[in-house]
Amino acid sequence: MSKYKAAPRIPNQNRHWPENSITHSPIWCSVDLRDGNQALAIPMSIEQKLEFFDLLVKIGFKQIEVGFPSSSNTEFEFVRRLILENRIPDDVTIQVLCQARKHLVKKTFDAIEGAKNVIFHIYNSTSPSQRKYTFGMSKEQVIEIALDGIDCIKQCIQEHKFSLPNIQLEYSPESFSMTEIDYAVEICNAVGSRWGWNPDNKIIFNLPATVECYTPNVYADAIEYFSNHILHRDCVIISSHCHNDRGTATASCELSLMAGSERVEGCLFGNGERTGNLDIVNLALNMFSDGVDSGLDFSHLNYIAQKYTKLTGLEIPLRQPYVGDLVFTAFSGSHQDAIRKALKQRSKLPEDSVWDVPYLIIDPRDIGREYKEIIRINSQSGKGGAAWILEQDFGYFLPKAMHPVLGKLVTEQADFLQRELSPSEIYSLFDSTWINQVSFRKLEILDFVETHVDGSESSSNVLCRSVVRIGDKKYAIGSKGNGPLDAFVASLKNNRIVEPFTISAFHEHSVGSGSDSDAVAYIELSFENGRKSWGVGLSSNVARAGVNAVVSAINFSNGCYGGK
Ligand code: KIV
Ligand code: ZN
């Protein structure tokens, strides 16, 4: 293992950041239209960039890096259109990127002519390997590149008659993460001194992890060290710019905020060179989940994701934090059960009570996502998940004791199909098992008449006469009872056409609303041999729902003698 070695640690003797936490939002700067765009196989057209710009404004970005105007005509023209068509809201500052090279600085000033407020972002590479391989220059010579760039910007400001407060300087020692920390401080101090330190127009020192090359704590150390060693700290804004080469851009950026960074550059959903830039959505929603207002509006995340995929042509992974299709989906039965119970309890609490639902980092509704996505049913889903779907999507509140019975059926079906079941498939399994018993049909009521024995409608003393069919045999049966259900059960028993049973549980509620509502009854029968069976009956009449539930339970348990 001699080919690779870990990046050197930062001599951060004065380490305080681990004690800090993120208590307020940073200044956000979207670099989607520059860093993100330059990483697309087919960069966005002007029209696409305009649409993306409007989206960023809607989300609430107040600083937007709109491009690299000296790099291509499209980039240049896009900036011109933003300015000439008055598309930049007064409270939004555009940022333009430029290498520290005179002719490029001049071209960039042509692009921003007429803009109200601009962050002029100038950079040059500072790492040892860039100095050695790319430029073949000494440290001093590389500092001169930066200072020449600053001189040129100052000259252009005068030529273009910008007043200084409307131009803010951003300087990036590109490859900061691979640059010796003291040299990075030295070049930034030189830049600051040449530009002029001013607490009313602070310089942004953007410290890029151009390539993420160490663990997040080392980036935090670098930021804290820089913060402690840069001259005139009160005239400086430290900005984090994290790439995701090691997959820890979000963590690096979070720790850097704890370490003194005040500003964050990144892209929606982590677009950007190679493994991407910091995912601003991820970071902002992490803050949101900690109860910190990020100042960005992701309450319609699906809409933002759709626009993003349309404009960039990129897909969002299914498990991407907050936005992925599967993020609010529980496959495990125990997860579903816990979510179901917690959501039920929560529905009795005020909307803004503290979110403590297991397995869901935030309430999906807060970012415009839906509960429907929370539970899908597969063979691992356990007993609660399917009952939850029937409750939420179809209004059937099965008694708790019935959940395992339904759960077993659903599990068997999912195993058989080797895939998860959709809510409508779960409903049709429930319906064909208990309500419209296609495959179980043994006992059927062909005719049913109930007569109140003493002639009064309010009397519970009822004579019930019915014609039932078992297989191809018909039976005319009848009995008296304390209500239609009792009378029907007595007539079945007296005529000995089903196994003897008693009703051991009964639940009912209405489904649907208004004139369309029906009664649904859930009945558990206990047979003499100890077997138990659940049935479900549906009718516009409560008593008939109970009668239908008894028939359903007998059929579900194969409890007919079949005319013995
Ligand atoms: O990642 C990087 O270093 C950059 C600079 C141009 C700021 O994008
Ligand atoms: Zn970058």
Side-chain angles (χ1 to χ4, degrees):
M1 285 300 291
S2 57
K3 189 168 179 185
Y4 299 104
K5 61 178 178 6
R9 301 293 296 257
I10 307 293
N12 187 19
Q13 312 292 358
N14 207 3
R15 182 181 296 116
H16 288 294
W17 64 261
E19 307 308 321
N20 298 340
S21 40
I22 301 170
T23 54
H24 58 274
S25 71
I27 302 166
W28 298 107
C29 177
S30 152
V31 293
D32 289 86
L33 298 174
R34 197 278 300 171
D35 222 348
N37 188 47
Q38 77 187 34
L40 297 177
I42 305 173
M44 286 183 269
S45 65
I46 293 182
E47 291 305 323
Q48 286 171 321
K49 283 188 83 168
L50 290 172
E51 199 176 333
F52 209 123
F53 179 82
D54 291 344
L55 177 69
L56 295 169
V57 170
K58 264 201 205 118
I59 292 170
F61 286 98
K62 301 298 176 208
Q63 299 190 353
I64 301 174
E65 188 164 79
V66 292
F68 196 152
S70 61
S71 70
S72 77
N73 261 351
T74 310
E75 292 287 280
F76 188 93
E77 280 310 316
F78 170 62
V79 179
R80 292 313 301 146
R81 281 196 57 187
L82 284 177
I83 297 165
L84 293 174
E85 293 172 16
N86 240 333
R87 288 168 174 268
I88 309 163
D90 284 345
D91 61 348
V92 171
T93 301
I94 57 165
Q95 174 169 315
V96 282
L97 181 74
C98 182
Q99 274 174 5
R101 294 168 71 185
K102 279 187 189 155
H103 68 290
L104 301 181
V105 171
K106 286 184 177 157
K107 179 107 202 249
T108 307
F109 266 91
D110 291 341
I112 61 174
E113 178 79 50
K116 287 195 188 97
N117 296 306
V118 177
I119 297 172
F120 199 101
H121 181 185
I122 189 164
Y123 75 98
N124 61 309
S125 302
T126 53
S127 67
S129 58
Q130 297 265 26
R131 295 193 310 258
K132 181 167 132 196
Y133 299 124
T134 319
F135 307 119
M137 284 185 180
S138 67
K139 285 181 174 175
E140 292 68 31
Q141 286 171 312
V142 169
I143 292 178
E144 280 314 309
I145 295 180
L147 296 184
D148 285 350
I150 301 301
D151 289 343
C152 188
I153 295 174
K154 286 177 118 177
Q155 193 188 331
C156 288
I157 286 177
Q158 287 186 349
E159 283 169 15
H160 287 258
K161 300 194 172 36
F162 271 105
S163 70
L164 206 50
N166 303 117
I167 299 276
Q168 190 173 15
L169 180 72
E170 172 169 338
Y171 174 70
S172 292
E174 203 230 65
S175 304
F176 167 80
S177 50
M178 291 175 158
T179 301
E180 307 90 326
I181 187 70
D182 286 318
Y183 180 61
V185 172
E186 184 186 343
I187 196 165
C188 288
N189 277 334
V191 164
S193 299
R194 182 65 64 91
W195 175 254
W197 305 101
N198 179 354
D200 298 324
N201 187 2
K202 300 185 183 191
I203 304 180
I204 300 168
F205 284 125
N206 185 53
L207 305 178
T210 303
V211 173
E212 186 177 54
C213 60
Y214 38 46
T215 49
N217 59 309
V218 181
Y219 186 62
D221 273 346
I223 297 290
E224 192 166 56
Y225 186 95
F226 185 93
S227 176
N228 289 336
H229 288 81
I230 189 75
L231 297 172
H232 303 285
R233 181 66 180 86
D234 61 324
C235 302
V236 167
I237 291 172
I238 296 181
S239 172
S240 299
H241 180 112
C242 297
H243 281 267
N244 196 35
D245 299 80
R246 294 166 62 108
T248 54
T250 305
S252 292
C253 196
E254 285 178 329
L255 299 195
S256 76
L257 291 176
M258 291 158 59
S261 173
E262 298 137 301
R263 183 176 183 272
V264 165
E265 293 191 348
C267 292
L268 297 184
F269 311 119
N271 182 29
E273 293 278 9
R274 307 177 307 281
T275 48
N277 282 75
L278 163 87
D279 176 355
I280 285 195
V281 178
N282 191 168
L283 179 55
L285 288 176
N286 283 356
M287 283 181 199
F288 178 76
S289 76
D290 288 342
V292 176
D293 181 3
S294 74
L296 298 177
D297 181 359
F298 291 117
S299 58
H300 297 94
L301 197 57
N302 288 344
Y303 168 81
I304 295 169
Q306 270 166 21
K307 277 245 170 187
Y308 165 86
T309 46
K310 183 186 101 176
L311 295 171
T312 61
L314 295 173
E315 281 174 12
I316 296 177
L318 295 176
R319 298 203 184 273
Q320 176 121 341
Y322 302 100
V323 66
D325 270 358
L326 294 181
V327 171
F328 296 107
T329 303
F331 285 90
S332 138
S334 62
H335 292 201
Q336 291 172 2
D337 194 45
I339 292 168
R340 183 173 54 78
K341 286 176 178 148
L343 288 178
K344 195 165 191 166
Q345 291 291 323
R346 245 196 102 75
S347 64
K348 299 175 200 143
L349 302 174
E351 256 301 294
D352 59 353
S353 35
V354 172
W355 183 256
D356 60 355
V357 175
Y359 304 111
L360 296 180
I361 180 163
I362 57 168
D363 183 344
R365 291 176 305 172
D366 288 338
I367 52 172
R369 305 206 55 192
E370 287 187 10
Y371 284 130
K372 277 203 173 146
E373 296 171 345
I374 293 173
I375 291 184
R376 290 185 183 178
I377 304 300
N378 62 16
S379 62
Q380 303 301 306
S381 300
K383 53 189 158 70
W388 166 253
I389 293 284
L390 289 182
E391 253 179 64
Q392 292 299 302
D393 291 11
F394 302 99
Y396 287 90
F397 290 77
L398 273 60
K400 225 173 147 12
M402 203 177 162
H403 291 190
V405 187
L406 173 71
K408 185 162 178 282
L409 288 174
V410 168
T411 301
E412 283 166 2
Q413 180 75 351
D415 260 345
F416 175 71
L417 296 174
Q418 289 291 295
R419 61 171 172 81
E420 64 188 34
L421 301 188
S422 67
S424 64
E425 285 174 321
I426 290 164
Y427 176 76
S428 56
L429 186 62
F430 167 73
D431 180 67
S432 62
T433 303
W434 281 298
I435 301 177
N436 295 298
Q437 295 175 299
V438 186
S439 54
F440 295 96
R441 192 183 294 152
K442 289 266 173 61
L443 174 64
E444 246 185 310
I445 300 177
L446 300 178
D447 194 20
F448 187 93
V449 182
E450 58 182 80
T451 323
H452 294 267
V453 176
D454 54 13
S456 139
E457 277 289 310
S458 59
S459 163
S460 60
N461 198 6
V462 164
L463 168 64
C464 152
R465 276 177 300 205
S466 58
V467 178
V468 298
R469 177 162 63 196
I470 296 177
D472 51 8
K473 286 201 172 160
K474 288 183 187 167
Y475 302 87
I477 56 175
S479 262
K480 281 189 201 157
N482 184 18
L485 177 59
D486 193 41
F488 179 69
V489 169
S491 67
L492 288 176
K493 283 182 182 166
N494 295 345
N495 289 281
R496 298 184 55 76
I497 54 176
V498 299
E499 289 178 46
F501 65 85
T502 54
I503 293 179
S504 42
F506 178 91
H507 301 263
E508 56 99 6
H509 64 80
S510 58
V511 269
S513 57
S515 56
D516 278 345
S517 79
D518 274 327
V520 58
Y522 309 91
I523 282 184
E524 186 193 55
L525 303 184
S526 296
F527 293 93
E528 275 184 351
N529 63 1
R531 231 166 66 250
K532 288 180 188 292
S533 171
W534 280 97
V536 183
L538 195 63
S539 169
S540 54
N541 172 303
V542 183
R544 267 307 293 271
V547 167
N548 291 343
V550 166
V551 171
S552 159
I554 290 169
N555 286 334
F556 184 56
S557 77
N558 268 326
C560 300
Y561 284 141
K564 261 194 259 181

